[in-house]
Amino acid sequence: MTLKKIKKMSIKSQISSELSESISNVLGKNVKILYKSLIRMESRGDKVDNRVLVITAYRIFITTTKIPTRVDNGFHLMEIEALESKKPNHLSITLIHEHKPVSILIGEEGTSEGVINAIHALIAAFDDLFPNVAMEDIISKVNLPFPLQPISGTRKHSTCGDFSNQYAAMCDLCQTPFRAEVAWDIDTIYLAHDIRMLHLKDFDHLDQRDLIPLVMALQHNTWFTGVCGDGVRVGGEAWEAVARLVRCAAPPPAVLSWRAATLRHDHAARLGHALVRARTPPALHTIDLSQNHIEDKGAISVLSGLANNPDGLRQISLSQCGITGKTVTHLAAILNDSAAHLTTLTHLDLSHNNLKDDVHNLYNFLAQPNVLTHLNLVNTETTLENMWGALLRGCAARLSSLKVGRNPWGGRRARDPPPSFRQFFTACLALQDLDLSYCRMPPDALKSLLLGLACNESALGVKLNLAGVLASSQAAHVLESCIHGVRCLQSLDLSDNSMEFELSGIVRAIGKNHSITHLSLSKLTGKRSYAPPLIQALVHVLQEPDTALTSLDLSDCKFKSDLYGLLNALGGARRLRTLDVCGNLAGDAGARLLAKALQCNCTLQTLYIDRNAFSIQGLTDIAHALRRSVSMRRVEFPACDAAAGGRGASERVATLWRELHERLSTNSVVCGGGRVRALALERAWAGGEAAAALAAQAAAALPPPPLQHALERAAAAAHHLLHQYLQRCSEVFAAMGGGGGGAELVTLQAVRDAMAPCNATLQDLLNEAVENLALSACESVDSVDSEPAPSSETDIPDLLSPISHSGKLDYLNLATPLGCRRRERCRRVRPKSVAEQQQCSSNEMLSLPPLHAEAADALADLPANTLRHLVKGRPRRVKTRAPSRPITDQSQDIDEGLDEFWRACRTPPGSEEASSVSARTPLTSRSLHSLSSLASSPRASPRATPRHSPTLRRDDTMYSVTSGESTPVLLECEVSRCKSSDNVGNKMAPTSPPPSRSSDNVNAIGSMMRDHPLTPEDAET
């Protein structure tokens, strides 16, 4: 039956047109009347008054029959608590807040047609308000002598379960204004994103009274499954609406989350009381009351109400609620009493509560086979060494997240870890997240943990948090020796540890683990003197060709200038995708180095740079560098630096940030990927990884088998790349003297065959082509060597020049000089900049040695009978100049003459032994002879002018300890100074022989020894 037939029946009633018009005028022209009929209303005793029953969309009115009419009684549809009928034409309506029901008589005695029509009108009104919900689920008590029939309403329902209409009805019930913005947000945003949880945080800008109809509209809504009030402080009336929602809703809510809302134990007690008195068995399986101080009283009340859920609980979060072991004991009893919880409970969060060791009953639940996937017991003062047996027996199969950080390991006496500790990590099958941060576990326990994970062959992608765990150097040594063998790890967090425990060795060991892609070293402590080795180890790991590290977190370490070494090496980081260097106070010099690195890095996509004391100039340098970056996708806005450095320059900061985001948006376009791949291939060619890069490029472009046209495009692209690479290889061979291959070495059909699933790989095809090029080049070199060598030096190729393409020669395994190979390796680390010296002294700068020296020294096996040394057969040039240094007799003993020299040093000048020693000294210097002749005056004996005079002591001393080849500039200075002395040229005897060099040395050294302050007094005689 439809509502139109009911209206036709009501028209036959004794309602005149004047009365109908008067009723419309009283209720309002905009009120839609669904049903109206004449009734008799029972009043005091047996007295009966004639009235008119009017049913509208939201309310029921009883008006008088006189004109002009007036409203005698009215109530909302949601205020009806019970519908009863004692006679065929009798209907009793009981309201929620009224003790006396409204009793009316419809129609003639003995007939129920009028009552049935009125009930059908109510059913249609409820269907318009709450679609797909039966009236029996809305009204708690319906006792009628006839069965109810489904009646369809008169209006079309809107989106989200007709929430807008329900919200309008609740606003009418609560007498609050209708907020059109609320209805628009629900019908637009929530529908577009398919949000099934009503988040009150989206509407917390409204008044507290405006939240009441918003919550009440969920009572019979079929779109929403729960309500989330995280961070929303509610008053008493709003919380009463939440309790009524839990008690009367049909269907009942399944999820209730109210985190950090300053709830107290009385709020929790009212919620628990509503759960106990729920009209239907509670279906609430997920509850989150974290960060509310509800204490044991409130928590036990809520858990008691949840115990009645026949379907079992799924998620319980009572983190930071001020509960103790009493609540945990009550929770364990509830979980153990019902077997349904063993198959439904997946999340249990009791973190940041003082539970201590009163969790043995909970261990009994964990020891049974269950489906728990997330267990959080962080900072609960629970002893860790007692829980592994229960976890091994019941949680090893499904547990994926285990967080037990900030808990003591055991008693004061250090004991060996239980065997179940290692066995659990060996047997867990689905472990993904393991948090043991700030657990002062002994080194043996850490070793058992790492060995257990190393033996686990089922777990993959494990995130291990060991922040603040390294309490001793022994623990650091255990981690360094075991971490490289744990292949199931994907992320490792070593934050808030001290750098004094040789983290550089741990970082190098992590570099050997090819499964760890994320490393966090934030908030490191210790002296700055330990930072350079750590930075050097990070640079070494990031620039390894086979490194797996793609994400690095160095936030809040305050490295300052020590970070410059890492920023310099970013240009050679081949796999790094995400870098976080916030809070390191690098300054504008660091910004300049980072800008240089961003221009040559082709892999970095996400960057965090805030709190580095960057000025506007430093941020401008980074923004300009991003214009040339081809891979950067996201840069976090440096809010702190922009606020500190942009005071008075807000427009400049806004313009800078707008330009930066415009550049990042261009990198996100798909068409820009070709430039990224081109730069990456160029870098791969320079590093000797062309085959791997081309193979990866072709594999990335390989489509599914059904797409033949896409396969053809991929083959054409791979053929083009191969042709370019082989053309460059031909140029390299031509520069070495070989003949360039004119014919096409790789055809398009060969590339197609190589990309087929059942044929050879593209890398094999490339290796074959390169081998053919090498053979032809070697044959050309052999033919050139058989001819006479050219006389000019320009015809010989210089392999040490930059044109030799040493990177490509590395890949081809040719005889490239090792020095050039090392320079190519070292070129990945950018040289130190002047900007670094402006911030720190040279002693504080990080000195990075050439990386991968071992790899550079190791040459691959050369092909037999195909390659030949290129320099071995080169003829040597004929020397046309005499050697500039004197040729010494190599047969002479190196110790010959030492005895005479030291004997002369100990002999006083002017003695016979000294003259005999000078006569035996054959070596003289013409320059010294000339200087001595210029500086000496005509005298009869050596006593006339002492050799240790103040004017000649420095000159004689200088040249007495100098080798035979003196500096010409110094000689000219000495000659000019000696000529300026008085009467030098006139007093010099032309026939006097030059003094001996040995006697000059004896006099000079003797004067030095006598004048030296450390010479003893008895040594002068």
Side-chain angles (χ1 to χ4, degrees), residues 89-299:
N89 64 338
H90 176 262
L91 181 62
S92 177
I93 304 175
T94 305
L95 304 181
I96 295 177
H97 303 291
E98 297 291 339
H99 298 285
K100 185 178 180 179
V102 178
S103 181
I104 60 177
L105 297 174
I106 307 175
E108 298 179 357
E109 292 289 342
T111 60
S112 60
E113 184 179 359
V115 176
I116 293 175
N117 293 337
I119 294 298
H120 287 172
L122 283 176
I123 294 176
F126 277 114
D127 184 73
D128 284 342
L129 187 55
F130 302 110
N132 303 324
V133 179
M135 188 179 68
E136 296 89 339
D137 296 334
I138 301 174
I139 301 176
S140 60
K141 184 179 180 180
V142 178
N143 186 8
L144 299 174
F146 51 86
L148 300 178
Q149 297 179 4
I151 305 297
S152 59
T154 60
R155 58 180 301 274
K156 294 182 179 180
H157 304 296
S158 62
T159 58
C160 297
D162 202 13
F163 182 85
S164 299
N165 187 38
Q166 296 163 11
Y167 172 64
M170 297 306 164
C171 289
D172 181 72
L173 173 64
C174 300
Q175 298 297 314
T176 57
F178 176 80
R179 306 295 182 182
E181 57 174 322
V182 175
W184 189 92
D185 290 346
I186 298 296
D187 294 339
T188 307
I189 300 176
Y190 279 65
L191 177 64
H193 297 279
D194 194 23
I195 302 175
R196 301 284 178 162
M197 286 275 294
L198 179 62
H199 296 268
L200 296 182
K201 192 67 175 177
D202 298 337
F203 312 101
D204 61 345
H205 60 281
L206 302 176
D207 191 68
Q208 284 285 333
R209 286 185 53 83
D210 293 331
L211 297 179
I212 298 175
L214 192 60
V215 175
M216 294 182 63
L218 301 178
Q219 288 188 19
H220 306 289
N221 185 277
T222 57
W223 173 270
F224 291 99
T225 60
V227 58
C228 176
D230 295 347
V232 178
R233 298 183 179 183
V234 292
E237 295 182 0
W239 190 250
E240 183 62 31
V242 175
R244 183 178 178 181
L245 170 67
V246 173
R247 182 177 65 253
C248 303
V255 181
L256 179 63
S257 177
W258 225 282
R259 299 172 59 94
T262 64
L263 300 181
R264 298 298 176 184
H265 62 86
D266 54 339
H267 295 83
R270 293 166 65 181
L271 178 62
H273 185 65
L275 288 171
V276 173
R277 296 178 53 199
R279 185 178 303 170
T280 57
L284 191 64
H285 56 70
T286 300
I287 186 168
D288 188 355
L289 298 177
S290 301
Q291 302 179 26
N292 294 294
H293 197 68
I294 60 176
E295 302 178 353
D296 289 333
K297 182 179 179 180

Side-chain angles (χ1 to χ4, degrees), residues 18 84 187 244 248 263 325 359 366 400 404 438 441 467-468 471 508 538 631 650 671 716 718 851 865 867 918 1018 1020:
E18 293 82 0
E84 296 178 334
D187 294 339
R244 183 178 178 181
C248 303
L263 300 181
V359 291
L366 297 177
S400 61
V404 291
Y438 303 98
M441 61 176 63
R508 292 180 182 271
L538 287 173
S631 62
S650 57
C671 60
L851 301 177
N865 302 325
L867 301 179
S918 62
D1018 54 353
E1020 297 181 359

Side-chain angles (χ1 to χ4, degrees), residues 680-964:
L681 287 176
E682 184 67 24
R683 293 286 306 278
W685 272 322
E689 296 178 356
L694 289 174
Q697 171 68 17
L702 187 64
L707 303 179
Q708 296 297 333
H709 59 284
L711 178 62
E712 184 66 26
R713 291 198 306 267
H719 177 261
H720 180 67
L721 293 174
L722 284 173
H723 179 71
Q724 287 184 349
Y725 176 68
L726 293 176
Q727 186 177 3
R728 295 196 178 198
C729 291
S730 301
E731 296 175 359
V732 174
F733 285 119
M736 296 187 309
E744 187 178 9
L745 295 174
V746 178
T747 61
L748 181 59
Q749 185 62 35
V751 175
R752 295 171 183 168
D753 298 338
M755 297 181 70
C758 57
N759 210 328
T761 61
L762 188 63
Q763 187 171 357
D764 297 335
L765 183 66
L766 180 63
N767 292 338
E768 182 180 358
V770 173
E771 185 178 357
N772 295 334
L773 273 177
L775 289 175
S776 60
C778 290
E779 292 175 358
S780 300
V781 172
D782 292 339
S783 62
V784 172
D785 290 342
S786 60
E787 299 177 357
S791 58
S792 62
E793 298 180 1
T794 58
D795 296 335
I796 301 176
D798 187 8
L799 295 180
L800 298 179
S801 63
I803 311 177
S804 63
H805 303 281
S806 61
K808 301 176 184 179
L809 297 178
D810 291 348
Y811 169 70
L812 299 176
N813 291 331
L814 297 181
T816 307
L818 293 180
C820 185
R821 292 170 61 95
R822 290 193 179 112
R823 283 196 299 272
E824 184 67 23
R825 293 283 186 177
C826 297
R827 204 171 291 137
R828 293 181 301 170
V829 180
R830 188 173 176 274
K832 298 178 182 179
S833 173
V834 181
E836 305 177 34
Q837 301 177 2
Q838 297 176 359
Q839 297 289 333
C840 62
S841 61
S842 59
N843 296 331
E844 296 178 352
M845 291 303 300
L846 180 63
S847 178
L848 298 176
L851 301 177
H852 312 297
E854 298 84 355
D857 294 337
L859 289 175
D861 297 335
L862 299 178
N865 302 325
T866 57
L867 301 179
R868 183 176 179 181
H869 201 287
L870 301 179
V871 191
K872 190 174 182 180
R874 181 185 298 175
R876 298 182 179 274
R877 295 179 295 180
V878 180
K879 296 182 179 181
T880 58
R881 297 180 181 180
S884 58
R885 296 182 180 180
I887 301 177
T888 58
D889 188 6
Q890 299 295 335
S891 61
Q892 185 179 5
D893 189 7
I894 193 172
D895 296 335
E896 183 177 357
L898 290 179
D899 297 338
E900 289 80 359
F901 176 76
W902 292 113
R903 188 181 302 111
C905 292
R906 292 190 299 267
T907 304
S911 61
E912 298 179 357
E913 187 177 358
S915 60
S916 62
V917 170
S918 62
R920 290 196 303 268
T921 304
L923 298 177
T924 58
S925 175
R926 290 179 296 177
S927 59
L928 286 177
H929 291 171
S930 60
L931 281 177
S932 301
S933 61
L934 290 173
S936 58
S937 57
R939 57 188 180 276
S941 62
R943 297 178 182 178
T945 303
R947 299 296 299 173
H948 54 277
S949 62
T951 58
L952 297 178
R953 180 189 305 171
R954 182 171 179 268
D955 304 332
D956 294 343
T957 304
M958 178 184 297
Y959 287 101
S960 64
V961 295
T962 309
S963 60

Side-chain angles (χ1 to χ4, degrees), residues 566-724:
L566 179 66
L567 298 180
N568 268 333
L570 283 181
R574 302 181 180 181
R575 295 179 181 268
L576 194 63
R577 300 290 185 272
T578 304
L579 178 63
D580 189 351
V581 291
C582 294
N584 281 284
L585 306 178
D588 287 344
R592 179 61 60 89
L593 298 178
L594 180 61
K596 296 295 183 182
L598 291 177
Q599 298 181 43
C600 57
N601 186 286
C602 59
T603 60
L604 196 62
Q605 296 180 358
T606 306
L607 184 63
Y608 302 92
I609 56 174
D610 200 9
R611 303 191 307 278
N612 273 295
F614 291 160
S615 64
I616 297 298
Q617 182 61 39
L619 296 177
T620 304
D621 294 340
I622 296 176
H624 286 300
L626 288 175
R627 296 178 181 177
R628 302 178 182 176
S629 176
V630 296
S631 62
M632 188 63 62
R633 302 291 180 84
R634 177 188 176 191
V635 177
E636 184 193 22
F637 178 67
C640 297
D641 292 342
R647 296 176 180 175
S650 57
E651 296 181 357
R652 183 180 177 185
V653 174
T655 304
L656 185 66
W657 192 245
R658 190 183 306 111
E659 294 177 356
L660 187 147
H661 271 279
E662 289 177 357
R663 178 56 196 166
L664 295 181
S665 61
T666 58
N667 289 343
S668 302
V669 181
V670 179
C671 60
R675 185 181 177 189
V676 179
R677 289 192 294 269
L679 182 57
L681 287 176
E682 184 67 24
R683 293 286 306 278
W685 272 322
E689 296 178 356
L694 289 174
Q697 171 68 17
L702 187 64
L707 303 179
Q708 296 297 333
H709 59 284
L711 178 62
E712 184 66 26
R713 291 198 306 267
H719 177 261
H720 180 67
L721 293 174
L722 284 173
H723 179 71
Q724 287 184 349

